[in-house]
DNA sequence: GATTGATTGTTCATTGGTGAACTATCGGAC
DNA sequence: GTCCGATAGTTCACCAATGAACAATCAATC
């Protein structure tokens, strides 16, 4: 489950908000990860399956890296593990001999479905924990933070 | 800088809030980590230095693990790296021969001071990005999420 | 005083990330 | 047609974290 424990370096009041924020995010992430636990998937793995499923076709690894917003070497390793799990297969691309395509196996499709169901449940539970009003104010705060 | 790229598995409106939240947290964390970059420290390392500095004495590694909310093996490795950086020293405990104490070196004290300054600046900048009203509503949302 | 159980730190394997270096291939420009 | 720069994937070393297994030590309890 790989908890990603938060450090809360500083104490003071206003600045502490930043670490509360990060700490809350870790808690949420841990909750999602825990929800996926029975499926044997992680968020990282499920994301790859989801990209493959929504594309409805095999995708080049660099494509996956772009969608995942991560470096290519990370995808190489993720796909290594997914392949070992039997959820994904590597295939050569017809047009470009540099390219390697990843495609879902039947087991991968099933894992994807199961994982997305578990994830959706967990997401709903978390969102429900925020009363309607707070959800929108959170959304404002969020956009202020990311800008 | 170790960006912790967010996956945004799902698209739908309300549930997507959860991933926006995680994504915003990653952005904030990346910003803090970037602010620490010139000091050569990471959040994880700075947190250890901070615990040692605020304790004003050498601390057993298991103590650090407790404060960091992480497993002991993680601290072993973190202190390994900090020791290699020359910021921390391992020392035997007088009373308990199982215990290993970590203490700040002079370089460690300086790095701590510099790191905390950089961190505080970055925190202030981030908090300022949230107008006063949104800060409190965020705080409410936060407590709703963690409960 | 010996045994038994908890605690301390380390090591190892695994997950998930980064970035640099390398090979192979692809496409143009010339 | 050849050369040269961009692109694709892998490998490697590193950072950060987890959890299991292990040796050493401590603390009771008998």
């Amino acid at each position: 489950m790989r908890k990603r424990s938060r450090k809360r370096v500083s104490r003071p009041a206003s600045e502490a908000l930043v670490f509360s924020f990060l700490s809350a995010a870790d808690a949420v992430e841990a909750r999602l990860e825990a929800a996926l636990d029975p499926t044997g998937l992680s968020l990282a793995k499920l994301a790859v399956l989801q990209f493959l499923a929504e594309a409805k076709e095999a995708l080049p690894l660099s494509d996956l890296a772009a969608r995942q917003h991560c470096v290519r070497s990370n995808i190489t390793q993720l796909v290594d593990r997914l392949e070992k799990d039997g959820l994904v297969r590597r295939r050569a691309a017809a047009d470009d001999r540099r390219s390697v395509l990843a495609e879902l196996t039947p087991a991968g499709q099933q894992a994807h479905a199961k994982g997305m169901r578990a994830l959706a449940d967990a997401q709903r539970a978390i969102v429900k924990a925020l009363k309607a009003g707070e959800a929108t104010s959170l959304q404002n705060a969020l956009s202020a933070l990311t800008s």
Side-chain angles (χ1 to χ4, degrees), chain A residues 75-116:
Chain A
I75 294 296
T76 296
Q77 296 168 25
L78 252 174
V79 170
D80 282 351
R81 291 192 291 270
L82 284 168
E83 212 168 17
K84 207 181 314 180
D85 293 344
L87 305 181
V88 149
R89 237 191 322 260
R90 270 186 173 87
R91 212 218 308 151
D95 46 324
D96 189 338
R97 280 195 300 172
R98 293 169 300 180
S99 191
V100 174
L101 305 182
E103 76 187 339
L104 286 177
T105 63
Q109 280 162 29
Q110 282 185 341
H112 168 254
K114 229 179 122 187
M116 289 305 284

